[in-house]
């Protein structure tokens, strides 16, 4: 008993000492954490890429097993799945760019052509403005303070040079991060069974008492996020294709570009539909206000059909989160991390909601 009390007091004293150190040196600890997090950003992005690609990888591995079930070439299942998964993503990105960029260039050219009279009126204003002409006539080079001009040019050129260097450095850093993230994601997918085994061994060694509960929580979160990603992508694809077909039937401009924008907007809960529709209305309004009005009516009807029929069937049942909590998750996620926060807090809230509901039902039954 005395040994237990002494051990308890020692643990309490150690905890208080650690708390004191954390409070005293919190600034340095925060800097260290920030530095470590900044260094680990490519690895975190790689984990995210690997998680998303793994959803495709599982499907391709099932297909490979089905096609070569009687073959001894099962050792090629993982390379086949990884190559096909990344090729699928590259193909989708190429299709999106091929649909968007040509129409975007056409849209910009048309906007410049339609609004060129604004630029001409601006030039005519200065050409026929008497005050501006008088200012030019009274302009005297002797009144110029050349020292200040030289200093300004030197500073300006230096500032421009620094901006160019900073921009190039940011682009290089982003490209390096992307390359590291992709390679790390490939390593994670190759060795995912080994990593799973190591994680299970750690749980068994250090958390054997709570191993079942931890695995259950992880599975709930994994199921919530995977179902959300798959369902949201399916719903976005259906909405984008429906938008493209409807705009083509109604003979509206930029059907493929606005269809892609609508599909990507649909990946963001609640806010995304409004954002995609707004961009489409603005683009079409610059060409024809009447067609913009028709498009607005069309997209509202399409989104109502999606909200009432498609989304509940494709995404709603898989998430299992009431709409009021979806709205709360979107607001909180947007406040924390913008659009990415909106996308990732919805399945997080869904997992928490499912865990609490299951626990409450068990406690009620007991």
């Amino acid at each position: 008993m005395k040994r237990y009390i002494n051990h308890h007091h020692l643990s309490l004293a150690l905890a208080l000492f650690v708390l004191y150190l954390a409070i005293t040196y919190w600034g340095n600890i925060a800097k260290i954490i920030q530095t470590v997090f900044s260094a680990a950003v490519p690895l975190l992005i790689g984990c995210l890429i690997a998680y998303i690609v793994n959803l495709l990888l599982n499907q391709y591995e099932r297909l490979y097993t089905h096609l070569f079930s009687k073959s001894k070439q099962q050792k090629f299942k993982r390379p086949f799945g990884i190559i096909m998964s990344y090729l699928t993503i590259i193909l989708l990105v190429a299709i999106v760019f091929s649909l968007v960029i040509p129409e975007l260039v056409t849209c910009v050219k048309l906007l410049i052509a339609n609004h060129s009279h604004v630029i001409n009126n601006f030039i005519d204003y200065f050409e026929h403005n008497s005050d501006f002409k008088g200012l030019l006539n009274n302009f005297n080079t002797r009144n110029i303070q050349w020292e200040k001009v030289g200093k300004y040019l030197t500073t300006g050129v230096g500032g421009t040079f620094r901006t160019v260097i900073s921009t190039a450095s940011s682009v290089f850093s982003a490209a390096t991060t992307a390359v590291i993230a992709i390679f790390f994601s490939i390593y994670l997918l190759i060795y995912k069974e080994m990593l799973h085994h190591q994680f299970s061994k750690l749980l068994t060694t250090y958390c054997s008492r709570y191993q079942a509960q931890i695995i259950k929580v992880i599975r709930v979160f994994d199921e919530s996020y995977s179902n959300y990603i798959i369902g949201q992508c399916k719903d976005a694809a259906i909405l984008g294709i429906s938008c493209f077909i409807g705009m083509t039937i109604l003979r509206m401009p930029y059907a493929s570009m606005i269809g892609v924008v609508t599909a990507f907007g649909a990946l963001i809960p609640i806010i995304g539909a409004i954002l995609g529709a707004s961009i489409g209305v603005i683009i079409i309004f610059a060409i024809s206000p009447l067609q913009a009005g028709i498009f607005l009516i069309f997209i509202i009807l399409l989104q109502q059909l999606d909200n009432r029929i498609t989304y509940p069937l494709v995404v709603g049942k898989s998430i299992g989160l009431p709409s009021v909590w979806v709205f709360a998750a979107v607001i909180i996620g947007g406040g924390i991390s913008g659009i990415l926060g909106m996308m990732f807090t919805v399945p997080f809230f869904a997992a928490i909601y499912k865990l609490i509901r299951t626990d409450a039902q068990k406690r009620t039954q007991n």
Side-chain angles (χ1 to χ4, degrees):
M1 185 68 180
K2 289 182 179 181
R3 184 179 298 176
Y4 172 77
I5 293 173
N6 291 334
H7 179 72
H8 179 73
H9 288 170
L10 181 62
S11 301
L12 181 60
L14 182 61
L16 291 174
F17 180 69
V18 172
L19 180 62
Y20 168 77
L21 291 178
I23 295 173
T24 305
Y25 300 101
W26 175 248
N28 296 329
I29 294 173
K31 289 181 181 179
I32 293 172
I33 293 173
Q34 186 176 3
T35 303
V36 172
F37 180 79
S38 299
V41 164
L43 304 183
L44 295 175
I45 297 174
C47 292
L48 177 61
I49 295 173
Y51 185 82
I52 296 173
V53 175
N54 186 58
L55 299 175
L56 285 172
L57 176 63
N58 292 333
Q59 302 300 321
Y60 279 117
E61 287 188 343
R62 290 194 192 100
L63 176 63
Y64 187 92
T65 303
H66 179 72
L67 293 176
F68 302 99
S69 58
K70 298 181 180 180
S71 174
K72 297 181 180 179
Q73 304 300 325
Q74 291 299 315
K75 61 181 179 179
F76 297 112
K77 180 173 69 173
R78 181 57 49 82
F80 170 80
I82 292 175
I83 292 171
M84 291 303 298
S85 299
Y86 279 97
L87 284 178
T88 301
I89 295 174
I90 293 171
L91 179 63
L92 289 175
V93 172
I95 291 173
V96 167
F97 275 100
S98 65
L99 291 174
V100 171
I101 291 179
E103 290 202 349
L104 183 61
V105 172
T106 304
C107 178
V108 171
K109 289 181 178 178
L110 191 57
L111 288 174
I112 293 173
N114 289 344
H115 296 283
S116 60
H117 64 279
V118 175
I119 300 174
N120 295 329
N121 291 338
F122 185 75
I123 295 173
D124 291 339
Y125 171 78
F126 283 104
E127 286 181 350
H128 299 91
N129 190 290
S130 58
D131 295 333
F132 184 70
K133 284 185 176 181
L135 180 64
L136 291 177
N137 292 330
N138 295 328
F139 182 73
N140 190 354
T141 57
R142 295 178 181 177
N143 297 329
I144 299 176
Q145 298 180 1
W146 292 105
E147 293 181 0
K148 292 185 177 180
V149 172
K151 185 177 180 181
Y152 175 77
L153 289 175
T154 305
T155 307
V157 171
T160 304
F161 182 74
R162 283 193 296 272
T163 302
V164 172
I165 294 297
S166 176
T167 304
S169 176
S170 299
V171 172
F172 179 77
S173 177
T176 304
T177 300
V179 171
I180 294 173
I182 291 172
F183 275 100
F184 186 66
S185 68
I186 294 173
Y187 275 110
L188 289 176
L189 293 173
I190 292 173
Y191 299 108
K192 66 176 185 176
E193 281 83 8
M194 182 192 72
L195 294 171
H196 179 267
H197 175 72
Q198 290 176 349
F199 180 73
S200 300
K201 194 172 183 179
L202 285 174
L203 285 180
T204 305
T205 305
Y206 297 103
C207 303
S208 58
R209 184 177 178 182
Y210 304 102
Q211 183 178 2
Q213 291 84 343
I214 293 173
I215 292 175
K216 180 182 177 182
V217 169
I218 292 174
R219 284 178 178 173
V220 169
F221 273 92
D222 176 56
E223 182 182 355
S224 177
Y225 273 94
S226 59
N227 289 341
Y228 173 78
I229 292 171
I230 294 172
Q232 202 75 18
C233 289
K234 287 181 180 179
D235 180 69
I238 293 171
L239 187 61
I241 293 171
S242 301
C243 181
F244 170 75
I245 294 173
M247 292 183 68
T248 304
I249 293 173
L250 295 173
R251 296 182 179 180
M252 292 184 182
Y254 313 121
S256 59
M257 182 177 68
I258 295 175
V260 171
V261 171
T262 303
F264 274 97
L267 294 174
I268 308 169
I270 300 175
I271 308 294
I274 301 172
L275 182 63
S278 301
I279 294 173
V281 169
I282 292 170
I283 293 173
I284 298 176
F285 186 84
I287 308 301
S288 172
L290 178 61
Q291 286 187 324
I294 296 173
F295 171 77
L296 182 61
I297 296 172
F298 163 73
I299 200 68
I300 289 174
L301 293 175
L302 183 62
Q303 288 177 357
Q304 289 298 316
L305 289 174
D306 178 70
N307 292 336
R308 296 177 183 276
I309 299 175
T310 309
Y311 194 87
L313 291 174
V314 177
V315 185
K317 291 182 179 179
S318 61
I319 292 180
L321 187 66
S323 57
V324 62
W325 294 114
V326 172
F327 184 77
V330 169
I331 298 299
I332 295 173
I336 294 173
S337 186
I339 293 176
L340 287 176
M342 295 178 186
M343 296 173 66
F344 286 100
T345 50
V346 172
F348 180 82
F349 271 53
I352 296 295
Y353 179 82
K354 184 176 181 179
L355 289 171
I356 294 175
R357 185 182 61 184
T358 304
D359 185 67
Q361 289 176 350
K362 286 184 178 180
R363 291 174 182 271
T364 304
Q365 291 174 358
N366 294 333

